[in-house]
């Protein structure tokens, strides 16, 4: 069942039934200021950091779900309704929510009144615009009452939800004209405030939540709306809110527009006050003046649209498969930009208070957006690398506001450092900018300990070399990519975190996933060294890679697939000898990508085993059989019920590793089959089962051993976005940036006749047309550049400013 449809022309998903199986959300904002908006107008807003600089409240896992947001109440005689349907939930005559590129539009109607709400954050602006248009489509004069509503958060979102003996006392506001200012804690340690304005005269306002709602009412039945007039309250402590009241009289066919703004202001320390206890409102007024007319709003909205034209214009395909095209051209790239901004910090699932920017996550996210915003990607790489230590280890996460490593969580996840080689080499291949390697980048954010960025890569490489276990395989540390395979944890205390506890000191558990990862990014490190003339370093590094390959072949092969690990006791994990958890996806993915033992058929055998044991209707599960009891020596993985999360769920992030592995042995049908099983647009028709948005990837789809296979959870903020984009564009479609050009090596389903890709690479546009007359999956017969045959599969960098025609014949 569907709850809407794709509008590819406008790059929108159009939800036509508000009762989606879960809130279907969108992200607004592109730089410093962000909002999340659900299809029923729920959500929240923050500046840079969802934990430390939260503007509005949101309650996670509330009952009912998705309560609290940016609400407009329209009172038309005895009927009250909302353009987003919630919170009042009056049955609407029509409803439409269009989630687009950094904006959301509601268009609803009731009893001859049509309301449109457009929400977006103009580029470079610290405020959310809500343009509200109300039209009388009836033949009578309409006298309507419009109420806006938001609830302020007292800035620190975590403290806001827990420290009630303080929080009930601190809330402070000011009201001037049609602007409500939220100035809690401004008089002491904060140099920032927020405001909520509208560009028209108002007939009243409220800032005290209890007065607005009534103590015993929810958002669905505010007292003020029921009574039809504001109480003009000024909040002192408790929970400050902001609500405007506007009387709207409309002749038949008349339409009126209002521009609301939810803004954020920072002022200099010595310029905080206008007069005693009165805040300096000048910066807010300047912001309001920027968008006080509909024309100004329209101009900013068009700029936003042009911004996305540019970002999405760098890779565009025509494959003849509509579902694929809309993923690659629109939604997958869009999601990659959102993960760039948020990492795993702020969503409807992640409360925005627990997690910052992950070291491994942010490095991996980069491969999905580096072609769109290379300069910002470079800055991100430097931010991440700055949280590393001289020995190559690093903080597992850092906070976006301070960019400092999160000491509470610490580090010791031994896969982390290697991902820096991935992000850096992909950045250089995309841009040709080798100067990054010379930039001085601090260790542990201490500039006095800065070294050229290249040294960070070296430290990452040798962190593995210096931390090998009894089988000469990499020590796993707290965990590798799979946070829940905690082999040194041995936790009996339900109150301790699997991620931060390591009860066994000097843990000797080893990871085959890191072994494969090391071979893949070790080779990249060597290739980079050759590029920059560090041949001795390349030769030295190669020895360690060769040793690792030998170690995997000797002690990491189980007969039909690669082992997953050795546990604390030196026992095999992921072996046919075990009853549960016989085979795991991660080591099959990385060791096949690394092509370890390919010459002896290991890669093919491993991928066949994946097909046999891990594949399912809804994607490839993480391990099989799933664990049915708690294995203290394995940790959190065995705490999840069978088929969920890391215990036998389809953990979408790792599926592309297998797709890429398949392309290593030329199996395009298999690779694409895996791709289409988890690509959200392919799942639109089963939305009632899938539950989450059909336009973005989610973290997990319940696996074959789950109670409800196919049911997905935790959409949006997942490394799934970048990895799938990377797998489809660079390995399946096979157009891949390299240091000296664009490499062409597609691995597609045999039945395809070919495809077209427009690729902007280092400022040059390549119009690539691949044809497949012999219906093969892999192999190239001929490549022509502007009509001239070339005899390499890497298209040399062409002249800037021109469009180049690349014709590829497979066979
Ligand atoms: C989740 C993992 C997550 C980890 C860290 C675990 O409970 O299952 O997916 O990476 O927590 O937050
Ligand atoms: C989610 C985390 O953000 C990511 O870092 C981790 O690799 C996966 N969970 C798998 O456990």
């Amino acid at each position: 069942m569907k709850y809407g449809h794709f509008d590819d022309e406008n790059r929108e998903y159009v939800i036509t039934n508000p009762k989606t199986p879960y809130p279907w959300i969108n992200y607004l904002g592109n730089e410093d200021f962000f909002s999340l908006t659900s299809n029923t107008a729920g959500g929240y807003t923050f500046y840079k950091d969802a934990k430390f600089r939260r503007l509005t409240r949101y309650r996670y896992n509330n009952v009912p779900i998705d309560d609290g947001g940016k609400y407009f109440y329209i009172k038309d005689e005895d009927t009250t309704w909302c353009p987003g349907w919630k919170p009042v939930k009056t049955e609407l005559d029509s409803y439409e929510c269009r989630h687009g590129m950094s904006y959301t539009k509601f268009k609803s109607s009731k009893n001859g009144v049509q309301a449109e709400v457009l929400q977006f954050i103009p580029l470079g602006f610290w405020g959310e615009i809500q343009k509200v248009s109300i039209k009388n489509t009836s033949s009578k004069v309409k006298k309507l009452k419009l109420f806006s509503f938001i609830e302020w958060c007292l800035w620190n979102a975590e403290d806001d939800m827990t420290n009630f003996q303080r929080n009930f006392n601190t809330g402070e506001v000011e009201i001037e004209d049609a602007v409500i200012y939220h100035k809690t804690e401004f008089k002491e340690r904060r140099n920032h405030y927020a405001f909520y304005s509208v560009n028209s005269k108002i007939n009243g306002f409220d800032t005290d939540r209890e007065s607005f709602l009534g103590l015993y009412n929810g958002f669905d039945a505010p007292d003020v709306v029921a009574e039809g007039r504001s109480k003009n309250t000024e909040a002192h402590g408790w929970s400050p809110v902001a609500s405007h009241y506007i009387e709207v009289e409309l002749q038949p066919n008349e339409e009126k527009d209002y521009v609301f703004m939810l803004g954020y202001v920072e002022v200099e320390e010595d310029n905080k006050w206008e007069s005693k206890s009165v805040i300096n409102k000048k910066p807010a007024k300047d912001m309001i003046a920027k968008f006080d007319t509909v024309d100004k709003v329209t101009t900013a909205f068009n700029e936003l649209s042009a911004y996305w034209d540019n970002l999405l214009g760098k890779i565009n395909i025509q494959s003849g498969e509509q579902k694929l095209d809309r993923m690659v051209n629109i939604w997958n790239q869009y999601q990659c930009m959102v993960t760039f901004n948020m990492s795993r910090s702020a969503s409807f699932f992640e409360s925005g208070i627990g997690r910052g920017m992950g070291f491994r996550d942010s490095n991996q996210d980069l491969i999905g957006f580096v072609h769109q915003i290379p300069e910002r990607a470079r800055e991100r790489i430097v931010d991440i690398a700055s949280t590393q230590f001289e020995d190559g280890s690093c903080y597992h996460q850092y906070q976006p506001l301070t960019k400092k490593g999160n000491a509470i969580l610490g580090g010791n996840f031994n896969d982390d450092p290697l991902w820096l080689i991935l992000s850096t080499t992909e950045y250089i291949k995309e841009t040709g900018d080798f100067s990054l390697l010379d930039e001085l980048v601090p260790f542990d954010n201490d500039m006095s300990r800065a070294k050229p960025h290249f040294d960070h890569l070296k430290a990452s490489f040798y962190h593995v070399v210096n931390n090998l276990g009894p089988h000469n395989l990499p020590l796993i540390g707290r965990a590798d990519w799979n946070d829940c395979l905690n082999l040194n944890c041995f936790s009996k205390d339900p109150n301790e975190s699997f991620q931060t506890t390591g009860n066994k000191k000097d843990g000797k558990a080893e990871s085959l996933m890191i072994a494969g990862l090391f071979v893949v990014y070790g080779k990249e490190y060597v290739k980079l060294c050759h590029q920059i003339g560090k041949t001795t370093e390349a030769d030295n590094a190669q020895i360690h890679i060769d040793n690792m390959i030998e170690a995997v072949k000797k002690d990491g092969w189980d007969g039909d697939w690669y082992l997953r690990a050795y546990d604390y006791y030196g026992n095999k994990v992921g072996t046919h000898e075990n009853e549960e958890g016989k085979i795991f996806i991660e080591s099959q993915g990385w060791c096949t990508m690394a092509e370890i033992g390919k010459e002896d058929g290991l890669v093919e055998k491993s991928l066949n085993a994946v097909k046999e044991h891990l594949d399912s209707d809804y994607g490839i599960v993480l391990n099989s059989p799933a664990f049915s009891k708690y294995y203290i020596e394995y940790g959190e993985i065995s705490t999840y019920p069978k088929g969920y999360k890391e215990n036998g769920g389809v953990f979408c992030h790792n599926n592309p590793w297998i797709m890429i592995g398949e392309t290593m042995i030329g199996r395009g049908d298999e690779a694409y089959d895996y791709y289409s099983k988890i690509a959200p647009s392919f799942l639109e028709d089963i939305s009632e089962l899938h539950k989450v948005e059909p336009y973005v990837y989610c973290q997990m789809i319940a696996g074959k051993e789950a109670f409800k296979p196919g049911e997905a959870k935790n959409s949006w903020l997942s490394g799934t976005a970048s990895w799938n984009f990377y797998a489809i564009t660079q390995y399946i479609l096979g157009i891949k940036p390299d240091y000296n050009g664009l490499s062409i090596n597609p691995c597609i389903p045999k039945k395809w006749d070919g495809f077209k890709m427009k690729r902007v690479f280092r400022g040059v546009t390549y119009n690539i047309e691949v044809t497949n007359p012999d219906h093969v999956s892999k192999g190239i017969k001929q490549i022509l550049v502007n009509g001239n045959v070339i005899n390499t599969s890497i298209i040399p960098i062409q002249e800037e400013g021109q469009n180049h025609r690349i014709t590829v014949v497979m066979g």
Side-chain angles (χ1 to χ4, degrees):
M1 179 183 167
K2 301 208 293 185
Y3 295 80
H5 57 268
F6 285 93
D7 176 347
D8 295 338
E9 188 87 358
N10 289 306
R11 300 185 299 221
E12 292 173 334
Y13 192 82
V14 190
I15 301 162
T16 47
N17 176 354
K19 295 173 203 165
T20 49
Y22 209 73
W24 285 3
I25 75 158
N26 195 12
Y27 282 83
L28 318 181
N30 288 290
E31 285 131 347
D32 297 331
F33 193 82
F34 302 98
S35 294
L36 281 70
T37 296
S38 76
N39 62 305
T40 57
Y44 62 91
T45 294
F46 60 93
Y47 168 78
K48 279 192 182 173
D49 190 318
K51 175 173 178 177
F52 290 118
R53 217 45 71 80
R54 186 78 69 94
L55 268 75
T56 60
R57 279 191 178 152
Y58 189 74
R59 292 169 187 77
Y60 296 90
N61 283 316
N62 201 33
V63 179
I65 190 104
D66 187 24
D67 242 12
K70 323 283 173 56
Y71 292 145
F72 291 100
Y73 300 87
I74 296 170
K75 191 170 166 74
D76 178 4
E77 297 180 358
D78 290 340
T79 306
T80 299
W81 60 282
C82 299
W85 182 58
K86 278 188 78 172
V88 175
K89 295 190 287 181
T90 300
E91 207 56 40
L92 299 172
D93 295 339
S94 68
Y95 158 91
E96 199 180 79
C97 166
R98 290 178 173 261
H99 285 319
M101 303 292 104
S102 306
Y103 68 86
T104 289
K105 256 185 216 171
F106 293 94
K107 187 171 174 184
S108 302
S109 65
K110 181 74 186 174
N111 297 347
V113 176
Q114 181 187 290
E116 269 193 57
V117 179
L118 166 68
Q119 281 176 264
F120 73 103
I121 294 167
L123 293 169
F125 195 66
W126 293 356
E128 175 187 315
I129 302 285
Q130 301 154 357
K131 189 185 88 167
V132 179
S133 312
I134 305 187
K135 186 173 182 182
N136 180 359
T137 55
S138 79
S139 50
K140 295 185 305 190
V141 175
K142 285 274 183 188
K143 289 189 174 173
L144 309 170
K145 295 175 173 186
L146 173 69
F147 298 88
S148 67
F149 178 81
I150 56 150
E151 184 182 9
W152 299 115
C153 178
L154 306 179
W155 302 116
N156 179 330
E158 184 170 35
D159 196 69
D160 184 70
M161 286 197 267
T162 49
N163 192 358
F164 300 118
Q165 54 84 23
R166 174 177 166 81
N167 295 343
F168 287 166
N169 300 292
T170 54
E172 286 190 294
V173 297
E174 279 182 40
I175 304 110
E176 190 185 282
D177 303 326
V179 192
I180 294 162
Y181 296 87
H182 176 226
K183 61 171 188 177
T184 301
E185 293 188 346
F186 185 73
K187 70 172 170 305
E188 17 119 2
R189 294 166 298 174
R190 295 189 183 274
N191 66 343
H192 52 88
Y193 62 80
F195 64 88
Y196 193 35
S197 66
V198 57
N199 69 340
S200 89
K201 285 219 161 346
I202 55 173
N203 300 85
F205 62 86
D206 276 288
T207 66
D208 174 57
R209 190 182 77 194
E210 200 174 309
S211 308
F212 179 80
L213 291 177
L215 185 57
Y216 296 101
N217 298 336
F219 298 119
D220 58 328
D223 266 355
V224 157
V225 179
E227 285 170 24
R229 63 188 167 84
S230 290
K231 294 178 183 163
N232 297 342
T233 53
E234 188 178 324
H236 296 278
W238 298 110
S239 293
V241 300
S243 170
H244 305 94
Y245 162 45
I246 302 171
E247 292 173 359
V248 186
E249 187 173 320
L250 295 172
Q251 301 302 315
N253 259 320
E254 190 184 356
E255 181 172 42
K256 282 190 178 153
D257 298 304
Y258 301 90
V259 181
F260 290 82
M261 185 188 293
L262 170 60
Y264 170 84
V265 163
E266 283 183 0
V267 282
E268 278 147 22
E269 198 51 45
D270 53 3
N271 203 13
K272 283 174 75 168
W273 305 99
E274 205 166 284
S275 58
K276 191 164 189 311
S277 303
V278 179
I279 62 171
N280 173 5
K281 302 189 180 62
K282 167 115 190 357
K285 287 179 184 170
D286 290 347
M287 284 174 72
I288 294 166
K290 275 197 173 161
F291 295 105
D292 54 1
T293 67
V294 168
D295 280 353
K296 292 182 191 173
V297 170
T298 306
T299 305
F301 187 64
N302 291 340
E303 280 165 15
L304 184 66
S305 178
Y307 171 80
W308 279 104
D309 287 344
N310 174 43
L311 291 184
L312 300 179
K314 305 203 166 148
I315 293 183
N316 191 283
I317 62 160
Q318 282 168 269
S319 68
E321 306 246 331
Q322 194 187 32
K323 289 175 184 166
L324 173 62
D325 288 3
R326 63 169 60 118
M327 283 318 307
V328 172
N329 297 341
I330 306 171
W331 291 99
N332 197 178
Q333 295 200 62
Y334 180 56
Q335 186 178 4
C336 288
M337 285 297 289
V338 173
T339 57
F340 158 65
N341 285 322
M342 305 291 144
S343 185
R344 306 295 168 269
S345 66
S347 74
F348 268 35
F349 312 93
E350 295 294 349
S351 53
I353 59 181
R355 301 224 241 168
M357 314 295 285
F359 193 98
R360 74 157 82 93
D361 293 335
S362 294
N363 277 310
Q364 292 174 76
D365 290 345
L366 194 129
I367 61 176
F369 64 78
V370 60
H371 65 288
Q372 293 177 307
I373 45 164
E375 300 79 20
R376 295 176 75 192
R378 179 186 167 130
E379 193 186 321
R380 174 62 54 82
I381 293 173
V382 171
D383 287 349
I384 301 170
S386 305
T387 63
Q388 193 177 28
F389 296 93
E390 282 87 345
D391 69 355
S393 66
C394 56
Y395 285 106
H396 195 48
Q397 285 172 15
Y398 69 96
Q399 283 308 127
L401 202 58
T402 61
K403 298 189 173 176
K404 290 252 162 69
N406 179 346
I408 299 171
L409 191 57
N412 203 21
F413 294 81
N414 282 349
D415 64 312
D416 271 342
L418 287 174
W419 302 109
L420 190 64
I421 303 180
L422 163 70
S423 62
T424 303
T425 52
E426 289 298 326
Y427 166 78
I428 298 175
K429 287 177 187 172
E430 179 68 43
T431 59
D433 173 19
F434 284 91
S435 76
L436 168 63
L437 298 173
D438 301 325
E439 177 158 342
L440 286 180
V441 177
F443 285 105
D444 195 14
N445 284 105
D446 177 354
M447 219 36 215
S448 71
R449 287 153 66 187
K451 286 270 171 62
H453 184 67
F454 177 81
D455 292 21
H456 285 259
L457 303 189
K458 188 170 178 185
S460 294
F461 180 86
Y462 284 98
H463 186 260
V464 175
V465 176
N466 295 332
N467 288 281
L468 296 178
H471 301 89
N472 287 321
L473 293 166
L475 290 172
I476 200 167
R478 277 190 180 154
D480 59 27
W481 171 87
N482 187 336
D483 284 340
C484 297
L485 188 63
N486 318 113
L487 300 180
N488 300 308
C489 184
F490 288 80
S491 181
K492 284 189 178 150
D493 176 356
N495 294 318
E496 77 190 3
S497 153
F498 285 100
Q499 266 78 51
T500 53
T501 315
N503 292 325
K504 296 276 189 210
K505 301 293 164 218
D506 306 318
K508 289 275 177 280
E510 297 164 278
S511 162
L512 263 304
M513 186 243 164
I514 303 183
L517 194 68
F518 175 77
V519 173
V520 172
Y521 296 119
K523 286 186 199 164
E524 284 298 336
Y525 176 68
V526 167
K527 186 169 168 185
L528 178 69
C529 288
H530 281 301
Q531 285 292 324
I532 57 176
K534 290 188 190 287
T535 40
T536 317
E537 175 56 18
D539 293 345
N540 292 340
Q542 188 60 47
I543 297 169
H544 298 293
I545 298 166
D546 295 342
N547 290 344
M548 187 67 77
I549 293 172
E550 285 317 305
V552 174
K553 285 194 200 162
K554 178 167 175 286
D555 287 316
W557 181 249
D558 196 51
D560 286 309
W561 55 79
Y562 302 96
L563 293 175
R564 175 63 177 88
Y566 281 94
D567 70 11
Y568 176 78
Y569 303 110
N571 294 326
K572 295 175 193 166
V573 181
T575 164
H576 68 281
E577 293 160 25
N578 289 348
E579 216 153 275
E580 302 189 325
K582 287 173 187 285
I583 171 169
F584 283 70
I585 194 171
E586 301 98 332
S587 45
Q588 312 318 317
W590 283 100
C591 294
T592 59
M593 285 163 75
E595 301 179 276
I596 298 176
K598 187 176 171 187
E599 60 290 353
D600 301 323
L602 269 51
V603 170
E604 197 176 339
K605 274 192 190 163
S606 154
L607 292 168
N608 290 345
V610 168
K611 177 121 243 128
E612 185 181 340
H613 300 282
L614 301 177
D615 186 25
S616 79
D617 289 350
Y618 302 106
I620 313 166
V621 300
L622 193 146
N623 57 308
S624 178
F627 298 109
S628 62
K629 58 177 201 232
Y630 180 44
Y631 293 75
I632 192 168
E633 68 276 28
Y634 292 172
E636 186 168 1
I637 189 167
S638 59
T639 65
Y640 286 112
K642 291 206 281 183
Y644 292 95
K645 291 280 286 183
E646 282 91 341
N647 187 21
V650 177
F651 211 96
C652 301
H653 184 144
N654 54 37
N655 277 223
W657 301 341
I658 299 298
M659 298 170 205
I660 298 174
E662 289 286 359
T663 66
M664 297 292 157
I665 52 168
R667 299 204 304 205
D669 285 304
E670 282 79 356
Y672 190 68
D673 182 49
Y674 288 136
Y675 175 84
S676 47
K677 274 186 178 158
I678 63 166
S681 63
F682 289 70
L683 306 174
E684 192 190 12
D685 288 335
I686 55 160
S687 286
E688 76 288 3
L689 168 66
H690 187 64
K691 260 190 142 120
V692 295
E693 297 89 337
Y695 43 91
V696 286
Y697 282 98
C698 61
Q699 186 196 61
M700 185 218 58
I701 303 173
K704 56 185 180 178
E705 293 184 71
F707 170 69
K708 209 172 184 188
E711 184 182 62
K713 289 179 186 144
N714 293 59
S715 53
W716 279 100
L717 300 186
S718 166
T720 307
S722 58
W723 272 105
N724 276 281
F725 188 70
Y726 190 66
I728 187 74
T729 55
Q730 300 203 13
Y731 290 90
I732 297 178
L733 301 176
I735 315 288
K736 191 168 177 39
D738 208 332
Y739 293 113
N740 303 314
L742 210 46
S743 141
I744 313 270
N745 189 13
C747 183
I748 56 176
K750 290 190 203 71
K751 69 167 198 272
W752 281 19
D753 295 325
F755 65 90
K756 288 183 188 158
M757 182 190 283
K758 175 190 152 198
R759 179 64 158 94
V760 180
F761 176 57
R762 305 201 194 164
V764 180
T765 303
Y766 298 79
N767 291 305
I768 304 163
E769 181 165 6
V770 176
T771 55
N772 188 19
D774 298 343
H775 290 277
V776 297
S777 274
K778 205 168 176 145
I780 292 172
K781 222 187 249 169
Q782 195 181 50
I783 300 184
L784 290 96
V785 178
N786 297 323
N788 304 316
V789 177
I790 58 163
N791 45 19
T792 119
S793 61
I794 297 192
I795 303 168
I797 315 250
Q798 301 294 307
E799 248 171 70
E800 253 181 72
Q802 285 178 33
N803 286 359
H804 297 276
R805 233 171 353 99
I806 315 298
T807 319
V808 180
V809 185
M810 294 180 68

